[in-house]
Amino acid sequence: MAVVYNITFVITHDRKARFLDWLRGEAVAALFGEAGGAVNPRIHTVVEAGGEKPAPEHGLSIALQAEFESEEVAHRWNDEVLPSVLSGFNGKFGPNALFFTTLLEVIPL
């Protein structure tokens, strides 16, 4: 069963360029190394929620997604690879930034 691991980062709008530089330069390289099992990185941002553009005070949500061949591989990556990257995120962008994670099962159409 294939799964997608989603990490949504919420930052202030003025940190977008700095965050994307960090994400593309440091985070993706660390998260998608050969040993971790993560493939097909994708980055998304929220444009609308419920037909409305999010107000600036809600922050900017940017999601990074990774695909895995199984739940077990995704959990191992979560335990062994992800913590150091999220610690780096907190160090560079906290305390006015946050993240949350979601594990999604891929269901064929």
Side-chain angles (χ1 to χ4, degrees):
M1 164 185 55
V3 296
V4 173
Y5 201 103
N6 182 85
I7 309 160
T8 300
F9 298 93
V10 182
I11 57 171
T12 57
H13 287 270
D14 62 320
R15 293 183 171 186
K16 179 181 180 180
R18 184 172 164 228
F19 172 79
L20 289 174
D21 287 345
W22 170 81
L23 186 67
R24 292 175 176 138
E26 292 179 43
V28 168
L31 294 172
F32 291 86
E34 292 180 28
V39 297
N40 299 328
R42 291 185 302 274
I43 303 172
H44 308 273
T45 190
V46 174
V47 176
E48 290 184 1
E52 301 282 328
K53 295 211 178 278
E57 62 270 14
H58 289 138
L60 177 64
S61 295
I62 298 178
L64 172 66
Q65 293 184 339
E67 293 180 18
F68 295 89
E69 64 185 35
S70 69
E71 232 178 292
E72 293 76 23
V73 175
H75 285 295
R76 186 174 65 242
W77 178 83
N78 176 77
D79 295 343
E80 297 174 4
V81 178
L82 188 57
S84 64
V85 173
L86 294 179
S87 177
F89 168 75
N90 283 332
K92 291 180 187 298
F93 299 98
N96 296 319
L98 61 92
F99 65 86
F100 60 90
T101 62
T102 309
L103 187 60
L104 308 165
E105 176 183 354
V106 176
I107 301 173
L109 285 176

